[in-house]
Structures are given as C-alpha cells and as structure tokens.
Amino acid sequence: MSKTAIITAKDVDVFYGDKQALDKIALDIPEYKVTSLIGPSGCGKSTFLRCINRMNDLVPIARVEGDIRIAGQDIYAPEVDVVALRAQVGMVFQKPNPFPKSIYENVAYGPKIHGLAKGKTEMDELVQWALEKAGLWNEVKDRLDQPGTGLSGGQQQRLCIARTIAVKPKVVLMDEPCSALDPIATAIIEELIDELRQNFTIVIVTHSMQQAARVSQRTAFFHLGTLVETGPTKNIFTSPEDERTQNYITGRIG
Amino acid sequence: MATVDTNTPHDALDLVNSQRKKGVEFVVMAILILCSLVAVLVTVGIVLSLIFEAYRFFERIPMTEFLFGTQWSPQTALRADQVAAEGAFGAVPLITGTLLISFIAMCVATPLGLMSAIYLSEYASKRFRDFVKPALEILAGIPTVVYGFFAALTVAPLLRSGGESVGLNVSSESALAAGLIMGMMIIPLISSLSDDVINSVPQAMRDASLGLGATHSETIRKVVLPSAIPGVAGALLLAASRAIGETMIVVMAAGLAANLTANPLEAVTTITAQIVALLTGDQEFDSAKTLSAFALGLLLFVVTLCLNIIALRIVRKYQEQYD
C-alpha cells in the first residue's frame, strides 16, 4: 500500500485551544483511489480533511502537530507556501458555494490567479475541459455568461467541482459534498466521483455509509478524535475488526 | 390496528371566558397606535409646511430663476419700506457650494472609511476590532458643532498659513477646510456600514477562494469586494446624503459668501448654511427673503430623500441576496 500512497499522515494531533480534536492519526491515502472518511459527528474526520490543504490555518485557535506528506513533501514545513499547496490540493465544500459571478468566471477563477492559461482560447479550452470533466458542459454550454448562483443545487456543486479541478490539482478533498443535495443530484455526483479518480486522488468525508460503500475503494473510520480502523471499503463494511466500527456501521452508535 | 375512541364524552371546555379583560388589549393597542401616529403626523406636517411656504415663495420668484439663477444675495432691504431691489434668488451657487464641499468630504472619507472597514473586517484580530469599532462609533458621537469649531479655528488657519507658505491664496473660510472635516465626520458612518456589509459576505465565499489557492488579498479584491460593492455603494450614498444635509460645520467653516466657483481654496456657502443665515434673528415672515429658506429646505429635502431611498433600496436588495 505504501508504495502508491500519495498522502501519508503520521502522529497527527490537532488542538482547538485546549481541546484536542485529533489524536495520533496515522493514515496512508493511495493515489488515484477514492478514500472515504466516515464516523459520527464531531469525530474529527472533517478536521483531518482540512489538515490536508491546511484550511485549518484559517482558524486562529487551531494547532496542528505531526507529519503530513504529499508525494513525500512535508506540507507543514516552514518553507511551504499554502497558496502553492492549495493549488495542488483542491477542496469541494459541504454547501455548494459558487461565486456570484458567471459560470465561466467561476471556473476560470483558479486558473486565472495561478496563471494556468495563456490567452483567451487556452482559457476557453480549460474551462470547457473542466466543465466536461464535471459533467456539466452540456447543461451550461449555451449560458456560460449567466450567474453560477442561478443553477440548481446539484449543478452548483458540479460547478464547484469544475472550479476545483480547473486548477488541475493532484488531490481533491470533498467535505460531505452531497449533504445539501437531493438523491438524484447525489447519484450524479457519485458517478462523477468515480470517473474523476482516473485523474485525481479523492478524499471524501461523508455521513452516509451507503455513499462511502458506493464511491470509495478505501475507508477510514474515525471515532472521538482517533482513527479506529482503516482498510479496503469492502472489508470495513463486511468484516470490521474493531467493535466500534461494527457498532457504527450497524447503526448502534453515531 | 387501534382506532381512536371518539365516543367517550368529554368535560365541557370553556372557550368563551378567560381571566383577562378584553378592554386592556384594546387600550394597549390604542396607545401604541397613538405613539406611532405622532411621529408620522409631525413628519407629514413638516413636509406640508415646507411645500406650502415654498409655494408662496415661488409666487414671488419664478421657480426657473430659483433653480437656474447664478446670483444669490437675499440680504437687501433692512426694512420693508426701504428702497431696494428685491434681491437675487438664484440657488445655483448654493447648490454648487454644497456639492463642492460634499465632494471634498467624500474624497476624504471614501478611501479612509473603506480601507479601515476592510482592515477591520478582514485583517484585524478580534481583540483589536473589539477596541477600534466602539472607538470609531465614539467618533460618530462627537457633536457636529465641535467638528465645526475645529474646522474653523484649527484647520482653516492651518490651511491658510500652509497655503501662503507655498504662495497660494487661501481664503480664511475655505471649502477645503469644511470638506476635510466633514469627511472626518462621515468616516465612521462609511466604515461602520461597509464593515457590516463586508462581514455579511458569507465565509463560504472566502473559503472557496482560499481553497483554490488564492491569497488573502486576492480573495478580498476578487471575491469579497465585488460581492460587497452594492452594499458599499449604499453606504456611500447614505454618507453623501449626510454630507449634503450637514449644517454646523459649514456654517462655522465654509462662510456665507455665495461664490460660484470650483476652487476649493475659496469661500463658498451651502444650502444649509444659507437657511441658517436667513432664519436667525428677527425676521419678517412673508418677505421673499424668509420664504426662500423654505424653498431651499424643500430642495434639500428632495435631494437627500432621493439619495436615502436609492441607498436603502440598494442596501436592502443586497441583503436579500444572501439571506
């Protein structure tokens, strides 16, 4: 497993003020696979996700200790520029949050600030590529100049995915990307996640165990700030080793 | 399956009488209506008297002369029987004077107020913010007469001597002095309102931008400010309407000379300063001179009312966008 792991975390502790949110997390995340983080509310799965692109830096009282490496590089090393890190590790949030700009501008935002496209034609191609990858191109190609906020919830979330992958990151983090969506929109996004793993490594936090079972190849179960168990998704859901995992997936805790 | 039993008789419920007196409800409501009516009726009364007296003024002086005339010198006859011309009632110099001073004030207050709002809402630590925001609001609580004598006694002489040392002829009561201080006065208004507007831009927008690898300042310039612009525009319009209606500072620092000029170093006068000048002291109540104050008041009222309505519309529309 460790040979293809793109993200390796060792001894990761996170504190919010005096409160410890994560305790000695060690997790390897394989390349070009979907890894899901599951567990009851407040178990630290989202906190861990936000360590991977250092979004926790934005919380003044948060303190992250330990060692997280992406492709061998320590992302908390003093010389690391978070801006460059986040260009490599994109994030899709719980609630669709398109900018109040046009669909085109939403997707072009990241490439523009990172200077990824030279000239209008290249940018047009990049925007089209990202929207096609996100499965949204056919629905919006005639109205790229209309506001992204006018789309339906599911379309907005796919727009946010397009916006994220337009920067061509190595890793895409998804923080409960379907929790604000109806079942049909959720199904579309789940299919999309399965396709996206050809090009990206995906880490997804989800409250839905069915979703974890459907989209991910590996699953990590968090409980009360610790990583209880991790392994191939099939094993976690059919023959968990830890009693707490067993209790959670059968609905007795959480 | 269990069925609901509808046959067992119930104790009779008393749904008609209650412990409370119905009369009390009515009296409370009547008092509340009365209180709100007082404010409304007084406002209506003021507006009506403005319109009525202004109408009497326009019976003597044609409205076109008032709105487009470039001469303002109402101080003509001391007594009614004195032989003198009726005076000139062209409001253009007053309007331009008002606009000049307000323009200077906005030039000062917009960048300062906006920048401090951005700093407070985006960069300042919570502790610093908790200290500075109330401090700014105290600035808003300084009586305008204090700003007025600060402008007239400190800033104006300073500008005059400063101007002389570089060979500029600065009038001792200049539009610049009044405008600068008026700008200081409206900074808290702009920064406080803009700060609220910037804060109401959802954190999700910032997260999205930062998550894409944008820097803090890129996020502010490309996401936060564009989202906040309508609300900020509303704040600026409210501030402008405050500047146009401001009286004490201009009475004390801008002077009463109705010069038609765009030079900020000269003395100008404003609509409000003229109304004060027209109505202080003993007045003859139906001379054109006195009545012209009502016409000026009406003009001012219409302008600030329009600005306020537009500003509130913009602010409200913007708030709905994210609620």
Side-chain angles (χ1 to χ4, degrees):
Chain A
M1 210 62 247
S2 62
K3 256 185 203 161
T4 55
I6 184 168
I7 305 172
T8 55
K10 263 189 226 120
D11 287 339
V12 176
D13 292 333
V14 176
F15 300 88
Y16 291 121
D18 296 334
K19 203 178 147 283
Q20 187 163 11
L22 284 181
D23 186 15
K24 297 272 174 289
I25 305 298
L27 182 63
D28 288 348
I29 292 169
E31 200 168 16
Y32 300 127
K33 294 261 187 323
V34 180
T35 302
S36 60
L37 312 180
I38 62 167
S41 297
C43 67
K45 55 194 189 302
S46 285
T47 298
F48 179 73
L49 192 76
R50 294 168 80 91
C51 288
I52 302 174
N53 69 344
R54 290 183 58 175
M55 282 302 266
N56 281 332
D57 289 14
L58 302 175
V59 184
I61 57 166
R63 199 170 86 243
V64 180
E65 285 169 8
D67 184 74
I68 300 177
R69 287 170 189 274
I70 295 179
Q73 280 195 62
D74 179 2
I75 61 167
Y76 282 87
E79 69 272 14
V80 166
D81 183 0
V82 280
V83 166
L85 170 69
R86 289 179 191 147
Q88 294 298 326
V89 186
M91 189 163 199
V92 177
F93 296 84
Q94 191 169 354
K95 237 180 96 192
N97 57 354
F99 298 127
K101 300 174 188 280
S102 71
I103 293 169
Y104 184 96
E105 287 294 323
N106 262 284
V107 181
Y109 182 84
K112 258 185 202 163
I113 56 176
H114 294 295
L116 295 185
K118 293 179 212 77
K120 177 102 177 72
T121 17
E122 227 174 284
M123 183 63 84
D124 288 351
E125 282 165 16
L126 182 54
V127 168
Q128 180 172 353
W129 174 84
L131 284 169
E132 276 171 353
K133 274 276 161 199
L136 194 60
W137 175 252
N138 285 330
E139 290 159 64
V140 300
K141 63 180 176 207
D142 301 323
R143 45 176 175 145
L144 291 174
D145 55 341
Q146 283 175 29
T149 42
L151 297 172
S152 74
Q155 289 172 325
Q156 284 189 20
Q157 194 62 301
R158 277 181 281 150
L159 178 62
C160 292
I161 291 173
R163 183 176 67 182
T164 304
I165 61 180
V167 185
K168 303 205 169 165
K170 283 262 172 302
V171 180
V172 177
L173 309 175
M174 296 186 171
D175 190 358
E176 297 180 45
C178 302
S179 63
L181 305 181
D182 66 51
I184 292 167
T186 300
I188 295 172
I189 302 255
E190 285 179 4
E191 263 175 55
L192 177 61
I193 291 172
D194 200 49
E195 281 165 30
L196 286 175
R197 79 182 158 92
Q198 296 169 2
N199 305 79
F200 308 98
T201 302
I202 295 171
V203 186
I204 178 173
V205 162
T206 176
H207 262 295
S208 155
M209 283 172 281
Q210 292 88 337
Q211 184 169 65
R214 283 192 298 260
V215 300
S216 69
Q217 287 77 52
R218 285 184 73 81
T219 296
F221 172 64
F222 284 71
H223 187 54
L224 300 176
T226 58
L227 177 64
V228 174
E229 190 172 350
T230 174
T233 299
K234 220 191 302 165
N235 299 3
I236 295 280
F237 281 96
T238 52
S239 52
E241 285 164 14
D242 196 284
E243 196 188 345
R244 287 169 291 178
T245 318
Q246 174 77 29
N247 286 343
Y248 183 70
I249 60 170
T250 53
R252 254 175 283 174
I253 55 170
Chain B
M1 215 171 85
T3 53
V4 177
D5 176 13
T6 54
N7 296 323
T8 317
H10 299 282
D11 294 333
L13 294 177
D14 183 359
L15 300 177
V16 179
N17 300 303
S18 73
Q19 297 289 314
R20 261 99 65 203
K21 304 272 180 299
K22 284 186 187 108
V24 175
E25 287 295 305
F26 180 78
V27 171
V28 168
M29 193 180 74
I31 291 173
L32 295 178
I33 289 178
L34 216 66
C35 290
S36 45
L37 274 184
V38 169
V40 173
L41 288 180
V42 168
T43 312
V44 170
I46 290 175
V47 174
L48 283 180
S49 91
L50 263 185
I51 292 173
F52 182 69
E53 300 291 342
Y55 178 75
R56 281 176 59 197
F57 171 75
F58 290 127
E59 276 178 343
R60 297 166 194 219
I61 312 289
M63 197 186 278
T64 46
E65 192 192 320
F66 175 71
L67 286 179
F68 305 112
T70 55
Q71 284 293 319
W72 180 266
S73 56
Q75 311 286 3
T76 48
L78 286 172
R79 294 187 314 276
D81 55 341
Q82 258 184 341
V83 185
E86 255 289 87
F89 292 97
V92 170
L94 311 190
I95 296 170
T96 55
T98 305
L99 292 181
L100 177 63
I101 291 181
S102 304
F103 178 74
I104 295 170
M106 293 304 288
C107 285
V108 173
T110 304
L112 290 176
L114 206 53
M115 299 289 174
S116 53
I118 293 171
Y119 175 73
L120 279 181
S121 55
E122 294 289 334
Y123 288 99
S125 69
K126 196 185 165 312
R127 269 182 60 201
F128 185 74
R129 190 184 145 83
D130 286 350
F131 166 73
V132 167
K133 240 202 149 184
L136 268 176
E137 269 143 30
I138 289 175
L139 196 61
I142 295 176
T144 53
V145 66
V146 176
Y147 282 109
F149 65 66
F150 182 62
L153 302 181
T154 312
V155 178
L158 214 70
L159 285 176
R160 191 175 158 77
S161 58
E164 266 166 9
S165 67
V166 293
L168 282 171
N169 188 17
V170 183
S171 151
S172 61
E173 292 177 320
S174 64
L176 189 60
L180 284 178
I181 295 303
M182 195 190 280
M184 294 295 148
M185 184 196 75
I186 55 178
I187 284 174
L189 186 71
I190 293 181
S191 68
S192 179
L193 282 174
S194 308
D195 179 53
D196 291 344
V197 170
I198 292 171
N199 267 327
S200 72
V201 174
Q203 185 60 34
M205 291 295 121
R206 297 185 180 87
D207 284 351
S209 173
L210 294 169
L212 285 166
T215 64
H216 198 163
S217 74
E218 280 170 340
T219 301
I220 293 169
R221 269 184 291 126
K222 296 184 176 169
V223 175
V224 177
L225 285 184
S227 308
I229 273 177
V232 169
L236 293 182
L237 282 180
L238 279 180
S241 115
R242 175 86 193 274
I244 288 171
E246 167 52 33
T247 310
M248 273 330 287
I249 294 174
V250 288
V251 167
M252 298 173 81
L256 291 171
N259 294 326
L260 183 54
T261 175
N263 181 356
L265 303 178
E266 275 184 54
V268 296
T269 191
T270 67
I271 298 174
T272 51
Q274 281 305 314
I275 294 176
V276 171
L278 289 168
L279 293 184
T280 37
D282 294 331
Q283 298 300 332
E284 196 183 358
F285 216 57
D286 55 355
S287 72
K289 181 191 154 199
T290 316
L291 289 175
S292 68
F294 288 94
L296 287 177
L298 187 65
L299 180 66
L300 193 62
F301 172 72
V302 170
V303 171
T304 51
L305 184 72
C306 290
L307 277 180
N308 281 341
I309 289 175
I310 297 169
L312 287 176
R313 279 261 167 94
I314 292 175
V315 171
R316 200 168 305 152
K317 194 176 162 202
Y318 169 74
Q319 279 166 346
E320 278 165 10
Q321 214 178 331
Y322 286 117
D323 283 349

